[in-house]
Amino acid sequence: MVLAVVLGLFALLTIGLPVGFSMAVSGAAGLWALGGPSMVMGILQTSPLSVVSSYELLTIPMFLLMAELVLVSGVADDLFQAAAAWVGRIPGGLGMATALAGAGFGAICGSSTASAATLSSTSLPAMLKQGYEPRMAAGVVAISGTLSMLLPTSIALVIYGLLAEVNIGKLLVSGIIPAILVTITIMLTILLLVWEDPRRAPSVRGVPWADRIRMLRSVGPMLILFGIVTGVIYTGVATPTEASAFGALGAFFLAVQRGKLTLASGVKSFQHAAQGTCMITMILVGASIFGYFFTITQVTQGLVDWVGSLEVSRWIIITLILCGYIILGSFMDQIAILVLTVPIVLPLIKSLGFDPLWFGVVKIVTAEVGMITPPIGLNCFIVARYANRPVSDVFHGIWPHFVAHLIAIAILVAFPAIVLWLPSRM
């Protein structure tokens, strides 16, 4: 029966039914087969309320609204120009500036797709105008857009925290050092590519020091906003939910201060944030219904017992799990993967002695790889659409970063303290 329900879920996903409804329908069908209509109705009457009544769930609409208002403010242009002014003269400097802008924009955005779309319209044209190899430029933009998944406004980390019942504040903070590691990895990959063939990235004319300082001032309010949101979470002055609300308010004033917020753009921002929140909430409700089916059939406990009986190293098991996530990421949306797999995989992770907080960050870094892996690679399609480039160019350009990300994941797996040190100091 379990196999039939899982196959039914993937059949619904294949025909295009949204993931939240797919999980709700397949889970309800399985529950009906187990306990009849009374069991289904009992769960349908309680599950939605238990999901939406979570106080921490308010973090998601606030971070989404913050992202929308940041997009309205146009801060991404200034971020890229400031980064380019400081590192532009280094070989591959505009590519490195794209990575820095991706990290900076992601820190107050939290949405990978929004970051990829914004970088595609700002940094990619600048690199192509400078004579950068199109494949390399597109690959840099696609991978830099994923950095928002690790930083303290990450929607993916919040959802993982809700599903895994991990302290969301510590989880958000734990992504900071790995995000720095990944950013450095992207920059070193660019440097290596340019060293191998200097024609890939022509040099850029230097910018006077006075202009560099002036550009720093223009991104100062954004840096202050990120610092405050992260700081109040780290120090415990505010919960992540309160910090997200403050971040949305700060992004509102940032858009007003820059003269970019109008009635129409404001209404559109609230509308997009509401739509995104409804979509994510429906996914969580569907996952809750599907999870009840797995709980009753004891699939998770059976998996834990089976893996526990295997006479192999736990490192081999975690490697296989992460490889599975990369494969899933090449076909499915990352939020869907989270809600489908975390309730099943997390008990196994705990039984192997791994920290669930550490696993959450490693899972998100692995999800970054999925965002750029063919045949789906959502970020690659976004970059191709916004840049009007063939998607094959983008896929070709991300392979060096794919390999470099695998190395970064290996480092995080080998040295868990990279993830756990900062939250342990909270």
Side-chain angles (χ1 to χ4, degrees):
M1 179 189 295
V2 173
L3 180 60
V5 170
V6 172
L7 290 176
L9 169 63
F10 281 101
L12 293 173
L13 292 172
T14 302
I15 64 175
L17 189 67
V19 62
F21 292 100
S22 296
M23 287 188 293
V25 170
S26 56
L31 291 168
W32 187 295
L34 288 173
S38 59
M39 177 181 286
V40 176
M41 292 307 299
I43 290 174
L44 289 180
Q45 288 171 0
T46 59
S47 182
L49 180 61
S50 65
V51 171
V52 300
S53 61
S54 171
Y55 174 69
E56 290 81 5
L57 189 65
L58 287 172
T59 307
I60 293 175
M62 291 296 99
F63 276 153
L64 287 173
L65 180 58
M66 182 178 176
E68 291 295 333
L69 292 171
V70 166
L71 286 171
V72 169
S73 72
V75 73
D77 288 319
D78 289 345
L79 270 173
F80 175 71
Q81 291 171 8
W86 282 87
V87 300
R89 294 193 65 181
I90 302 172
L94 287 183
M96 296 181 187
T98 300
L100 292 172
F105 185 71
I108 54 171
C109 177
S111 168
S112 178
T113 53
S115 291
T118 304
L119 292 174
S120 297
S121 60
T122 54
S123 59
L124 186 56
M127 284 191 283
L128 295 177
K129 183 179 179 181
Q130 189 61 33
Y132 272 54
E133 180 187 65
R135 289 177 173 179
M136 174 181 166
V140 170
V141 171
I143 192 63
S144 297
T146 64
L147 287 167
S148 61
M149 297 178 70
L150 271 176
L151 288 154
T153 56
S154 168
I155 301 299
L157 283 173
V158 172
I159 292 174
Y160 175 83
L162 291 171
L163 293 170
E165 297 182 355
V166 175
N167 184 294
I168 293 178
K170 290 188 175 182
L171 190 60
L172 293 174
V173 170
S174 67
I176 295 175
I177 296 178
I180 295 171
L181 171 65
V182 171
T183 304
I184 293 172
T185 301
I186 296 171
M187 296 173 71
L188 290 177
T189 305
I190 295 167
L191 194 62
L192 181 61
L193 289 170
V194 177
W195 173 79
E196 183 184 38
D197 185 359
R199 292 174 298 178
R200 287 179 170 139
S203 58
V204 179
R205 184 170 56 87
V207 177
W209 279 97
D211 290 340
R212 296 185 191 186
I213 301 298
R214 178 180 54 79
M215 289 178 182
L216 279 183
R217 292 196 192 112
S218 65
V219 300
M222 183 277 300
L223 296 175
I224 292 171
L225 178 60
F226 169 68
I228 292 176
V229 171
T230 305
V232 295
I233 295 175
Y234 182 77
T235 58
V237 171
T239 66
T241 305
E242 293 163 347
S244 66
F246 182 84
L249 181 63
F252 173 82
F253 285 123
L254 182 64
V256 170
Q257 183 261 331
R258 296 170 67 90
K260 298 294 181 69
L261 188 65
T262 63
L263 179 61
S265 64
V267 170
K268 190 175 180 180
S269 296
F270 278 88
Q271 183 181 12
H272 285 176
Q275 289 172 343
T277 302
C278 291
M279 178 194 72
I280 292 172
T281 302
M282 185 61 220
I283 291 174
L284 293 175
V285 170
S288 176
I289 297 169
F290 197 79
Y292 274 113
F293 170 74
F294 268 7
T295 300
I296 293 171
T297 54
Q298 295 188 324
V299 171
T300 303
Q301 188 58 45
L303 179 63
V304 171
D305 293 340
W306 175 72
V307 172
S309 66
L310 297 176
E311 295 184 2
V312 296
S313 168
R314 66 174 187 157
W315 299 105
I316 294 177
I317 296 173
I318 193 71
T319 301
L320 292 175
I321 290 173
L322 294 177
C323 288
Y325 272 124
I326 293 175
I327 295 171
L328 282 175
S330 66
F331 291 95
M332 295 177 62
D333 177 75
Q334 295 304 324
I335 293 178
I337 294 172
L338 277 172
V339 296
L340 279 172
T341 62
V342 169
I344 303 170
V345 173
L346 193 65
L348 175 59
I349 294 298
K350 291 179 179 178
S351 72
L352 293 172
F354 292 111
D355 191 310
L357 190 148
W358 165 84
F359 176 73
V361 173
V362 173
K363 158 68 188 84
I364 297 301
V365 179
T366 309
E368 291 182 354
V369 178
M371 295 289 290
I372 60 168
T373 304
I376 301 300
L378 183 59
N379 270 25
C380 295
F381 281 92
I382 291 172
V383 172
R385 185 183 69 183
Y386 276 82
N388 197 25
R389 305 289 311 179
V391 72
S392 58
D393 277 4
V394 188
F395 280 132
H396 187 279
I398 56 89
W399 282 116
H401 299 286
F402 179 91
V403 175
H405 257 60
L406 294 183
I407 296 172
I409 292 170
I411 292 172
L412 293 175
V413 171
F415 303 100
I418 296 174
V419 176
L420 299 175
W421 179 79
L422 198 57
S424 70
R425 302 291 175 179
M426 290 178 66

